[in-house]
Amino acid sequence: MGMLKTEAKACAPRPDSDVGRSILGPDHRIGASAMRTAIDGFPRLRAWRDAGEFIVVRGRRIFCRRAGAGPRLLLIHGFPTSSLDWAPIWPMLASRFEVLAFDLLGLGFSDKPRGHDYRVREQADLAEAVARHYGWDAAFVLAHDYGDTVAQELLVRNGEDAALRILRLCLLNGGLFPETHRARAIQRLLASPLGPALVGLMSRRGFGRSLKALFSPTRMLGEAAVDEYWALLRHDDGLDAVPSLLGYMAERRQQRSRWVGALQTADAPLRLICGAVDPVSGLHMAERYRQLVPRADVVVLDDVGHFPQLEDPQRVFAAAAGFFLDDGAPAGG
């Protein structure tokens, strides 16, 4: 593959925006031995990064992590987080599947190109390229939030000649239908023409308040985890990418017939696992799913919010693994 190559695991990411930016400039690349990045101050982030590797897709460095053996399972995370979202469920999944996760362009440890026009179809292309790099042409897919929309685009392309054939698709909370997506005020503002100016005003305190509001009150995200997610979002000047990334909300409206239609006509079996108390895409979204998707297979977690894989990984694993392995069909290319 001329467009793909693998870098060593030790390949250092660019310095974080709060480390040496005024001297080096945001695009300066530096060796790991020359500067300690902010990420290295977080043991869990460092461990997650060091257990993975970077591959290059069309000139962009993409962080990937793979583990386990068995049927192939691709994980697609949401916004504004990263593949780290799968950490609580990762050991369980890796005990039953060959699991592959990656950071979407503009998020996590993957490159965050400045001035880039992020699009869902590009992220779907990226998912296909990552799978192809590891020799996959078919897999089960587990997606969440923004990753749901990427998975819907992949589902549009599904078929015998697809670059990545989805054998079964399990969706967690996300904006599957634009009419049921209750975007937070901060999301709407950052996605507006004011976004590039407002992003510089974002703070850890405000970010933490917005993120924690998505969780069930009985399963609240801890402050240490908020610190980790804030560090990842800021890593490599990532805040600058936020307004463009949020363009997915407008794309969902523009592409509604394409992406909702993919759910309604899918040949691959589908399951929705929904945290009911999610204020953005909770029980109201699951009810719409039942209305629109034929033979709707829905698992509702009554006391869970927007991040089921973080809030109740055991129940998510049971529901997802039971679905993927239901008929014993192998996932693989």
Side-chain angles (χ1 to χ4, degrees), residues 271-314:
R271 170 168 285 182
L272 171 66
I273 301 174
C274 181
V277 297
D278 172 11
V280 175
S281 300
L283 187 59
H284 62 286
M285 184 274 291
E287 291 170 348
R288 185 63 169 159
Y289 186 93
R290 286 192 175 106
Q291 292 172 356
L292 295 180
V293 178
R295 302 175 301 280
D297 178 355
V298 180
V299 177
V300 175
L301 307 179
D302 291 331
D303 58 344
V304 171
H306 184 72
F307 287 86
Q309 72 275 43
L310 295 177
E311 298 177 54
D312 198 336
Q314 290 81 10

Coordinates of all heavy atoms in Angstrom, one line a residue, residues 271-314:
R271 N -27.6 -3.6 16.2 CA -28.1 -3.5 17.5 C -27.8 -2.2 18.1 O -26.7 -1.6 17.8 CB -27.5 -4.6 18.5 CG -27.8 -4.4 20.0 CD -27.5 -5.6 20.8 NE -28.5 -6.6 20.7 CZ -28.4 -7.8 21.4 NH1 -27.5 -8.0 22.2 NH2 -29.4 -8.7 21.2
L272 N -28.7 -1.6 18.8 CA -28.5 -0.3 19.5 C -28.5 -0.6 21.0 O -29.4 -1.2 21.5 CB -29.6 0.7 19.2 CG -29.6 2.0 20.0 CD1 -28.4 2.8 19.7 CD2 -30.9 2.8 19.7
I273 N -27.4 -0.1 21.6 CA -27.3 -0.2 23.1 C -27.3 1.3 23.6 O -26.5 2.1 23.2 CB -26.0 -0.8 23.6 CG1 -25.9 -2.3 23.0 CG2 -25.9 -0.8 25.1 CD1 -24.5 -2.9 23.4
C274 N -28.4 1.6 24.3 CA -28.6 3.0 24.6 C -28.7 3.3 26.1 O -29.5 2.7 26.8 CB -30.0 3.4 24.0 SG -30.4 5.2 24.3
G275 N -27.9 4.2 26.6 CA -28.0 4.7 27.9 C -29.2 5.7 28.0 O -29.2 6.7 27.3
A276 N -30.2 5.4 28.8 CA -31.5 6.1 28.7 C -31.4 7.5 29.2 O -32.2 8.3 28.7 CB -32.5 5.3 29.5
V277 N -30.5 7.8 30.2 CA -30.5 9.1 30.8 C -29.6 10.1 30.1 O -29.3 11.2 30.6 CB -30.3 9.1 32.3 CG1 -31.4 8.3 33.0 CG2 -28.9 8.5 32.6
D278 N -29.1 9.7 28.9 CA -28.3 10.6 28.1 C -29.1 11.8 27.7 O -30.2 11.6 27.0 CB -27.7 9.9 26.9 CG -27.0 10.8 25.9 OD1 -26.8 11.9 26.2 OD2 -26.8 10.2 24.8
P279 N -28.8 13.1 28.0 CA -29.6 14.2 27.6 C -29.5 14.6 26.2 O -30.4 15.3 25.6 CB -29.1 15.4 28.5 CG -27.6 15.0 28.7 CD -27.6 13.5 28.9
V280 N -28.5 14.1 25.5 CA -28.3 14.4 24.1 C -28.9 13.4 23.1 O -29.6 13.7 22.2 CB -26.8 14.6 23.8 CG1 -26.5 14.8 22.3 CG2 -26.2 15.7 24.6
S281 N -28.7 12.1 23.4 CA -29.1 11.0 22.5 C -29.6 9.8 23.3 O -29.1 8.7 23.1 CB -28.0 10.6 21.5 OG -27.6 11.7 20.7
G282 N -30.5 10.0 24.2 CA -30.9 9.0 25.2 C -32.1 8.3 24.8 O -32.3 7.9 23.6
L283 N -33.0 8.0 25.7 CA -34.2 7.2 25.5 C -35.0 7.8 24.3 O -35.6 7.0 23.5 CB -35.0 7.1 26.7 CG -36.2 6.2 26.7 CD1 -35.8 4.8 26.4 CD2 -37.0 6.3 28.0
H284 N -35.1 9.1 24.2 CA -35.9 9.7 23.1 C -35.3 9.2 21.7 O -36.1 9.0 20.7 CB -35.9 11.2 23.2 CG -34.6 11.8 23.1 ND1 -33.6 11.8 24.1 CD2 -34.0 12.5 22.1 CE1 -32.5 12.5 23.7 NE2 -32.7 12.9 22.5
M285 N -34.0 9.1 21.6 CA -33.4 8.6 20.4 C -33.7 7.2 20.1 O -34.0 6.7 19.0 CB -31.9 8.9 20.4 CG -31.1 8.5 19.1 SD -30.7 6.7 19.0 CE -29.4 6.7 20.3
A286 N -33.6 6.4 21.2 CA -34.0 4.9 21.1 C -35.4 4.7 20.6 O -35.7 3.8 19.8 CB -33.7 4.2 22.4
E287 N -36.3 5.6 21.1 CA -37.7 5.5 20.7 C -37.8 5.8 19.2 O -38.6 5.1 18.4 CB -38.6 6.4 21.5 CG -38.7 5.9 23.0 CD -39.3 6.9 23.9 OE1 -39.5 8.1 23.4 OE2 -39.7 6.6 25.0
R288 N -37.1 6.8 18.7 CA -37.1 7.1 17.3 C -36.5 6.0 16.5 O -37.0 5.6 15.4 CB -36.3 8.4 17.0 CG -36.4 8.9 15.6 CD -37.8 9.3 15.2 NE -37.8 10.0 13.9 CZ -38.9 10.1 13.2 NH1 -40.0 9.5 13.5 NH2 -38.8 10.8 12.0
Y289 N -35.5 5.3 17.0 CA -34.8 4.2 16.3 C -35.9 3.1 16.1 O -36.0 2.5 15.0 CB -33.7 3.7 17.2 CG -32.8 2.6 16.6 CD1 -31.7 2.9 15.8 CD2 -33.2 1.3 16.7 CE1 -30.9 1.9 15.3 CE2 -32.4 0.3 16.2 CZ -31.3 0.6 15.5 OH -30.5 -0.4 14.9
R290 N -36.7 2.8 17.2 CA -37.7 1.8 17.1 C -38.7 2.1 16.0 O -39.3 1.2 15.3 CB -38.4 1.6 18.4 CG -37.5 0.8 19.4 CD -38.3 0.4 20.6 NE -37.6 -0.4 21.6 CZ -37.2 0.1 22.8 NH1 -37.4 1.3 23.1 NH2 -36.5 -0.7 23.6
Q291 N -39.0 3.4 15.9 CA -40.0 3.8 14.9 C -39.5 3.7 13.4 O -40.3 3.3 12.5 CB -40.4 5.3 15.1 CG -41.1 5.6 16.4 CD -41.3 7.1 16.6 OE1 -40.7 7.9 15.9 NE2 -42.0 7.5 17.7
L292 N -38.2 3.9 13.2 CA -37.7 4.0 11.9 C -37.0 2.8 11.4 O -36.9 2.6 10.1 CB -36.8 5.2 11.8 CG -37.4 6.6 11.9 CD1 -36.4 7.7 11.8 CD2 -38.5 6.8 10.9
V293 N -36.4 2.0 12.2 CA -35.5 0.9 11.8 C -36.3 -0.4 11.9 O -36.8 -0.8 12.9 CB -34.2 0.8 12.7 CG1 -33.4 -0.3 12.3 CG2 -33.4 2.2 12.6
P294 N -36.4 -1.1 10.8 CA -37.2 -2.4 10.8 C -36.5 -3.4 11.7 O -35.3 -3.4 11.8 CB -37.0 -2.8 9.3 CG -36.8 -1.6 8.5 CD -35.9 -0.7 9.4
R295 N -37.4 -4.1 12.4 CA -36.9 -5.2 13.3 C -35.9 -4.7 14.3 O -34.8 -5.3 14.5 CB -36.3 -6.4 12.5 CG -37.3 -7.0 11.5 CD -36.6 -8.1 10.7 NE -35.5 -7.5 9.9 CZ -35.7 -6.8 8.8 NH1 -36.9 -6.6 8.3 NH2 -34.6 -6.4 8.1
A296 N -36.2 -3.5 14.8 CA -35.2 -2.8 15.7 C -34.8 -3.7 16.9 O -35.7 -4.2 17.6 CB -35.8 -1.5 16.2
D297 N -33.5 -3.8 17.1 CA -32.9 -4.6 18.2 C -32.3 -3.5 19.1 O -31.3 -3.0 18.8 CB -31.9 -5.5 17.7 CG -31.2 -6.3 18.7 OD1 -31.4 -6.1 19.9 OD2 -30.4 -7.2 18.4
V298 N -33.0 -3.3 20.2 CA -32.5 -2.2 21.1 C -32.4 -2.7 22.5 O -33.3 -3.4 23.1 CB -33.6 -1.0 21.2 CG1 -33.1 0.1 22.1 CG2 -33.8 -0.5 19.7
V299 N -31.2 -2.4 23.1 CA -31.0 -2.7 24.5 C -30.9 -1.4 25.3 O -30.0 -0.6 25.0 CB -29.6 -3.5 24.7 CG1 -29.4 -3.7 26.2 CG2 -29.7 -4.8 23.9
V300 N -31.8 -1.2 26.2 CA -31.8 0.1 27.0 C -31.2 -0.1 28.4 O -31.6 -1.1 29.1 CB -33.3 0.6 27.1 CG1 -33.3 1.8 28.0 CG2 -33.8 1.0 25.7
L301 N -30.3 0.7 28.7 CA -29.6 0.7 30.0 C -30.2 1.9 30.8 O -29.9 3.0 30.6 CB -28.1 0.8 29.9 CG -27.4 -0.2 29.0 CD1 -25.9 0.0 28.9 CD2 -27.7 -1.6 29.4
D302 N -31.1 1.6 31.7 CA -32.0 2.6 32.3 C -31.2 3.6 33.2 O -31.6 4.8 33.2 CB -33.0 1.9 33.2 CG -34.1 1.2 32.4 OD1 -34.4 1.6 31.3 OD2 -34.6 0.2 32.9
D303 N -30.1 3.2 33.8 CA -29.4 4.1 34.7 C -28.1 4.6 34.1 O -27.1 4.9 34.9 CB -29.2 3.4 36.0 CG -28.4 2.1 35.9 OD1 -28.3 1.6 34.8 OD2 -27.9 1.6 37.0
V304 N -28.0 4.7 32.8 CA -26.7 5.0 32.2 C -26.9 6.2 31.3 O -28.0 6.4 30.7 CB -26.2 3.8 31.3 CG1 -25.0 4.1 30.5 CG2 -25.8 2.6 32.3
G305 N -25.8 7.0 31.1 CA -25.9 8.2 30.3 C -25.3 8.0 28.9 O -25.4 7.0 28.3
H306 N -24.6 9.1 28.5 CA -24.1 9.1 27.1 C -23.0 8.2 26.8 O -22.7 7.9 25.6 CB -23.7 10.6 26.8 CG -23.3 10.8 25.4 ND1 -24.2 10.8 24.3 CD2 -22.1 11.0 24.8 CE1 -23.5 11.0 23.2 NE2 -22.3 11.1 23.4
F307 N -22.2 7.8 27.8 CA -21.0 7.0 27.6 C -21.2 5.6 28.2 O -20.6 5.2 29.2 CB -19.8 7.6 28.2 CG -19.3 8.8 27.5 CD1 -19.8 10.1 27.7 CD2 -18.3 8.7 26.6 CE1 -19.4 11.2 27.1 CE2 -17.8 9.8 25.9 CZ -18.3 11.1 26.1
P308 N -22.0 4.7 27.6 CA -22.3 3.4 28.2 C -21.0 2.6 28.5 O -20.9 1.9 29.5 CB -23.2 2.7 27.2 CG -23.8 3.8 26.5 CD -22.8 4.9 26.4
Q309 N -20.0 2.7 27.6 CA -18.8 1.8 27.7 C -17.9 2.3 28.8 O -17.1 1.5 29.3 CB -18.0 1.8 26.4 CG -17.3 3.1 26.0 CD -18.2 4.1 25.3 OE1 -19.3 4.4 25.7 NE2 -17.6 4.8 24.3
L310 N -18.1 3.5 29.3 CA -17.4 4.0 30.5 C -18.2 3.8 31.7 O -17.7 3.5 32.8 CB -17.1 5.5 30.3 CG -16.1 6.0 29.2 CD1 -16.0 7.5 29.2 CD2 -14.8 5.4 29.4
E311 N -19.5 4.0 31.6 CA -20.4 4.0 32.8 C -20.7 2.6 33.3 O -20.9 2.3 34.5 CB -21.6 4.8 32.5 CG -21.4 6.3 32.2 CD -22.6 7.0 31.9 OE1 -23.6 7.0 32.7 OE2 -22.7 7.7 30.8
D312 N -20.9 1.7 32.4 CA -21.2 0.3 32.7 C -20.6 -0.7 31.7 O -21.3 -1.3 30.9 CB -22.8 0.1 32.8 CG -23.2 -1.1 33.5 OD1 -22.3 -2.1 33.6 OD2 -24.3 -1.2 34.0
P313 N -19.3 -0.8 31.7 CA -18.6 -1.6 30.7 C -19.0 -3.1 30.7 O -19.1 -3.7 29.7 CB -17.1 -1.4 31.0 CG -17.1 -0.9 32.4 CD -18.3 -0.1 32.6
Q314 N -19.4 -3.6 31.9 CA -19.7 -5.0 32.0 C -21.0 -5.3 31.2 O -21.1 -6.3 30.4 CB -19.9 -5.5 33.4 CG -18.6 -5.6 34.2 CD -18.1 -4.2 34.7 OE1 -18.9 -3.2 34.7 NE2 -16.9 -4.2 35.3

